[in-house]
Amino acid sequence: IAEDMSAMPGMCLPIEEGGIGFDYRLAMGTPDLWIRIIKERRDEDWSMWQIWCELTSRREGEKYIGYAESHDQALVGDKTIIFRLCDSEMYTAMSKSSDSYIIDRGIALHKMIRLVTMSLSGEGYLNFMGNEFGHPEWIDFPREGNGWSYFYCRRQWHLADDPTLRYGDLQAFEKEMLAFAKQSNIFQAKTQSIFIDNEKKILVFKRGKYIFAFNFHPNVSQESYFIRLPAGSYQVCLSSDDAIFGGFDRISKETTYLSNADGFPIYLPARTALVLEKM
């Protein structure tokens, strides 16, 4: 896997064909995309077209490894995605007994960002250790500047194992998301845009036999959003809104959606991502 920002043609071509011989290259612009969006824009101003274009713009025939955040963001002096979303509330409101809009927002967007990155930005997916459960603090290796301290030179794995905290919900989503990616073979399938609605913050696309539907709007749920799909029956196989993932359990996985030539309506709550499988 090449860690390369030059976008050099032939990086992933075999050497005998004049290339450099790597199998994959890292989609290194993706972590920068998410930091720019989170830092510089209100939730209402996120561009669905920008997310789609930046996650899918790559040379045909080259394999990419997508990732939402890098090791650089976990080091002292920078912030991870979850820390930018939740900030100091990470220290006071991650208990399941707490009620915090900031934490609810952060957890919802953290799941959506990882899912849309995994499903759009390449033929593989990379996670930096601890990001799967939203590790709350940076890494600071022993150095002269911190008195050669080992205090921040670790991951607090116990946070994800504590059933009273919400870190485990994020980890449960990561496990389910990766299990889905492996069993569905989506990395071998082409991506096709179905619908992009920037005003309503809706992004719908197809990969293989799976339909991905994202509602990034901060407060407007779609009671019956119409999705135009080929005729057939569809069922939700993954929902970011499941209670076991820290969601609100508003989506039924028992419902079968029957699509005619015009498609079908579906309930798509605010800050929720769904994956539907054609049965």
Side-chain angles (χ1 to χ4, degrees), residues 64-82:
Y64 278 72
I65 300 293
Y67 59 117
E69 53 190 319
S70 70
H71 62 283
D72 292 336
Q73 294 163 248
L75 298 175
V76 67
D78 206 343
K79 291 183 177 180
T80 60
I81 286 177
I82 194 70

Side-chain angles (χ1 to χ4, degrees), residues 215 220-226 257 265-270:
N215 181 358
V220 177
S221 297
Q222 299 297 326
E223 297 292 336
S224 56
Y225 197 81
F226 208 79
Y257 299 93
I266 189 171
Y267 177 40
L268 198 55

Side-chain angles (χ1 to χ4, degrees), residues 113-128:
I113 287 169
R114 284 181 287 156
L115 181 59
V116 75
T117 299
M118 185 206 73
S119 53
L120 275 186
S121 67
E123 289 69 41
Y125 179 72
L126 171 70
N127 175 72
F128 183 73

Side-chain angles (χ1 to χ4, degrees), residues 44-60:
E44 295 87 344
D45 298 330
W46 287 23
S47 169
M48 300 299 102
W49 285 105
Q50 181 189 23
I51 291 172
W52 168 263
C53 290
E54 294 211 28
L55 292 183
T56 58
S57 295
R58 51 187 179 269
R59 276 193 292 266
E60 183 72 20

